[in-house]
Amino acid sequence: MVVILKENPNQAQLDSLISWLQDKGIAIHETVGVHQTILGLVGDTSSIDIDLLTALDIVEDVRRIQEPYKKANRKFHPDNTVVKVGDVEIGGGELTLIAGPCSIETEEQICSIAKSVRKSGAKILRGGAFKPRTSPYSFQGLRDEGLRLMEIAKEETGLPIVTEIMDASQLPLFENVDMIQVGARNMQNFELLKVLGKVDKPILLKRGLSATYEELLMSAEYIMSGGNENIVLCERGIRTFETYTRNTLDISAIPVLKKLTHLPIVIDPSHSAGKSALVPPLSCAAVAAGADGLIIEVHNDPAHAWCDGPQSIKPEVFDSLSKKLTVIFDTCKSEAVK
Amino acid sequence: MVVILKENPNQAQLDSLISWLQDKGIAIHETVGVHQTILGLVGDTSSIDIDLLTALDIVEDVRRIQEPYKKANRKFHPDNTVVKVGDVEIGGGELTLIAGPCSIETEEQICSIAKSVRKSGAKILRGGAFKPRTSPYSFQGLRDEGLRLMEIAKEETGLPIVTEIMDASQLPLFENVDMIQVGARNMQNFELLKVLGKVDKPILLKRGLSATYEELLMSAEYIMSGGNENIVLCERGIRTFETYTRNTLDISAIPVLKKLTHLPIVIDPSHSAGKSALVPPLSCAAVAAGADGLIIEVHNDPAHAWCDGPQSIKPEVFDSLSKKLTVIFDTCKSEAVK
Amino acid sequence: MVVILKENPNQAQLDSLISWLQDKGIAIHETVGVHQTILGLVGDTSSIDIDLLTALDIVEDVRRIQEPYKKANRKFHPDNTVVKVGDVEIGGGELTLIAGPCSIETEEQICSIAKSVRKSGAKILRGGAFKPRTSPYSFQGLRDEGLRLMEIAKEETGLPIVTEIMDASQLPLFENVDMIQVGARNMQNFELLKVLGKVDKPILLKRGLSATYEELLMSAEYIMSGGNENIVLCERGIRTFETYTRNTLDISAIPVLKKLTHLPIVIDPSHSAGKSALVPPLSCAAVAAGADGLIIEVHNDPAHAWCDGPQSIKPEVFDSLSKKLTVIFDTCKSEAVK
Amino acid sequence: MVVILKENPNQAQLDSLISWLQDKGIAIHETVGVHQTILGLVGDTSSIDIDLLTALDIVEDVRRIQEPYKKANRKFHPDNTVVKVGDVEIGGGELTLIAGPCSIETEEQICSIAKSVRKSGAKILRGGAFKPRTSPYSFQGLRDEGLRLMEIAKEETGLPIVTEIMDASQLPLFENVDMIQVGARNMQNFELLKVLGKVDKPILLKRGLSATYEELLMSAEYIMSGGNENIVLCERGIRTFETYTRNTLDISAIPVLKKLTHLPIVIDPSHSAGKSALVPPLSCAAVAAGADGLIIEVHNDPAHAWCDGPQSIKPEVFDSLSKKLTVIFDTCKSEAVK
């Protein structure tokens, strides 16, 4: 941590700051410039609140040098973490496809899609039971009933299942869920993260719409600091000025997060774009950039096809996409490695 | 709602769409252009999922004409809503100052600040008991004990109190709290919003870091649709590319929200800027633009002054600011009116 | 174009608006709702200023239905445009690699890099003679001398050359340049665009840091409306809240622009990320998403390697990357097609 | 400047870096931490290219401590700069109102508005002769003829005039213009800035749509480094995710720029919002936050009122607004001071 002092700082306040830091076991190196003096802080600065330092009358600015996350930091854990979901591994050197419908509607629907995507190479089944909707007047998901239907599909296909939790109070319903998803809007629901830190299940943690890489990793750190280190990060588009796409897929997140953390990364091309035609090219791009997996919305109900979500692709599109992704993954494998 | 069709749409699908819409009681006006045909939908379109329509093969785009919020919409409720917090009114033609420390630390601290800000014109006391912190290693607030100390300050000063809830399970602890704050990171915690819709207390709803005006109003609608219509909206800075300030105060939110909704608007200049020197000019700007109130962080512990939050101003600054704000409010009153 | 009227519009003003529109040869279809009346405008609305309509007292909002660009619009020109740069084709079904140093420094440097990248498969040589620098105190490029050195490299290698113009007055110096680059900061330098519309050379038009797809296409339209239709669009990262990368590569731009326009698209992974380690994964992603080409910075001066730009990769990295890109391009070709 | 080294840096490269820096007269202070070593650079680092340092193999990151602008920096020029436009002073302790039509249309129009706004307290006349339009098919302004009409209005009213230049080649036409405006889209047209650095006229420099404070000040520095130090900065809204307003007025720019620079700041509320109803509240907010002046669009042609720009207010609105602004300015004066 580097503390930049104002010109001509009050000496008494400076001494008080220095002795306070030294009491915390931090060594201080002073660099005196013509207009500026800076303090280099050496030691474990993770307990120091950067905002508090910045507030001091004698301080102009404080810059963090070391990342504020530890358990999620690749510097301290150089090897890739492999997360197991049922028998499936994410981050273990194979491309993991997670697929399924946006919302769970009927037993027939979820089972039929599950079988179809399994055949096309999906290893994990996704589906929404609790749906975060911006409007209170929109369908809020089948909720408990949706979870029950997912469990049936799991039994029928053997695919492990992942679905979104929206509140800690729903946790008892997730007993048979193999991986719990934290949605973008709950990425900084810290009370929920704390609860999930005590759970013995892998977590799929989605990046918030305007969360920085550091904030995403700090949210992972919340869960990990509670004891649960099985976390898969998910980039699903960020909010920018461009409104043609629902969100802007931040493809750079893949190589950057690979460098910063040892946790696996999957990409959600369906929600990023909000348009099904963009799902195949964005999926290819994500795999080419080194993603460990993808989570893709697939629908297959021909009778209601026209009222399905705009970001869902059809099973036959998923099938041919899956084949192409395997070739790209094999070609680019060396990129995916740190 | 306007549905823009693709060129040469499949006639069977078009007929099916039209009859589906008509079944929902919606009248359809077709406008045929050279390259484009558009359908104008007349009737209550609030139950129609815009994403579902957009997904249709024959549809190029869908534009909403009517706002998706009803109870929060000024069109249907032209008169300003006045929210009562204890005996204090927000939105009733007086400027309401809400002030207090960032975190509650000790009984002495909260009571002393409470007395000071009351003397300077504050009508409501704020203070953080549950603190949303990006790092799990940072101080998380005094929690229940913090609430207890706030209640003491309330008794001693007669000021109603507002503090943040972070999870629905904390609600029983908020019995003596006069207004419940929903933080920016929980603005789309829909399960929490639903619970607060059933609560008989006013809600201070903060805008999310990257929430649009419409999304903020839809979150208000969530609470209102549950039955609780006592909502005060709070703009507290949005996330932009500019990083010199912690967030960018969106001053236009005041006149825009005044036009779109009948709910009162308060501004949080402390969190917007993240620097105490910016609090006075931003406070003046907010009042000049027509805000109904301000929520300001004030600290007064001289012994620990240097470790207080960088966004907190001192009691004497608050006192002189308060006087200036009153003059501006009186000068600009006519702007504040719809 | 759809005009949404305010409730109870003044009838005289409405009549005046309608007759003004009809005078312009536009047919009007009125859709009367309970709270809202909308006018559907049919005909050539490209000459109507949307801002002027929006300003009317009786108008609540105006939504454009048809894109405001014509010559760049795929709707009116369904076939892909193939742009010829010297003998090289961009957009013709082959991946086109453009490579070279950030700044031109010496004859030896530019010639040596030119030979190296040609060997690795680059078809066009890039290099900066006029450098747009945020600081007036930074090196501004070799300018005319830089152009002269590029011409030497062109002669020695046979590679056509592309370099940036910063002002219309520099045009006479570009006689031997094969493709003229318009930088991101000049994307809306309309006077420059008009001049380039009269030039008989292909233009590489970079997207501005905060330009929407529509604005990029409107800038292309400026050049095309002047008569020069040989334009290659270039996505090079947009400005977002995330500051870890210099800019955020908007990978979705590729499939979206492919849909909206017939012009070829190349990606600049070097400037997007600002870190050389990110260039290979972003290059792979861009090709997988359907880009027609890439423009990549390569440096090779071992003596000064340490003071080269952070976004430049080394020739050996470029060489192995080039091989990988060819495989991905062949695998994904079908995605690249409209 | 602080250079953060990677763990276990190559010693030969480190020595080479250190001696290179020392050759430039820079002293180096090393701070060795457990995982990280940082170098504090003391001396004039303005000639060091931060990107070049960052590119070194042994460097993890570089943080600038000192601002890269000098002539625009308040640290080196603590007193406010007062810019004279004709006989009018901007930044000299009085509020300066600049007003006029969006586009110049006819002699009658510009003269009539000029007289009206002068009567209401405007000190400088604005008007667009060269118009930057996103569409090549939109009206591009009266150009030279527009300048001629402005000069007539200047003669008739005695008001100094300000208007936008779009290319350096237009400069000869600006002989009788009192202040030259650089539009947001040209803020980083460095060739134009260099030319304006040699001109003996004050410059109104508008902030780019996605320009940081530092970039705005670096553009001012470009002009100042050429010798022209008479610059007025103008905040006119930035691009964010919120699209209800055309741009988001960054009100914090006022107190922040007041701290960083000695140059005067004016606000353009008309272009920020893009809606005339927002001009009065945003104007009040800007003055309350400490702006030195405002530049406001006013139209007065009753016959064509309905086809005027949506951001223009009417003369009578400007007149009553002007009175209110004076009261706010007097109330807030102390805020405006550094």
Side-chain angles (χ1 to χ4, degrees), chain C residues 172-232:
Chain C
L173 299 167
F174 281 65
E175 205 183 333
N176 294 315
V177 169
D178 299 281
M179 177 157 65
I180 301 176
Q181 176 178 317
V182 176
R185 291 179 182 80
N186 272 322
M187 192 201 83
Q188 293 193 321
N189 182 339
F190 299 118
E191 299 297 313
L192 177 59
L193 300 181
K194 282 180 199 170
V195 168
L196 296 176
K198 300 297 179 195
V199 165
D200 186 25
K201 283 179 191 295
I203 307 296
L204 182 68
L205 179 64
K206 289 199 154 186
R207 181 184 184 186
L209 266 77
S210 63
T212 61
Y213 303 139
E214 187 174 299
E215 287 169 341
L216 171 60
L217 292 171
M218 287 308 285
S219 286
E221 189 84 10
Y222 252 97
I223 303 172
M224 297 173 91
S225 70
N228 182 356
E229 305 202 352
N230 290 305
I231 295 173
V232 176

Side-chain angles (χ1 to χ4, degrees), chain C residues 246-261:
Chain C
R246 187 183 299 177
N247 294 117
T248 298
L249 178 64
D250 180 8
I251 196 82
S252 313
I254 303 167
V256 170
L257 289 172
K258 279 281 162 204
K259 179 172 178 259
L260 299 178
T261 186

Side-chain angles (χ1 to χ4, degrees), chain A residues 16 43 90 202 218:
Chain A
S16 142
I90 305 182
M218 287 308 284

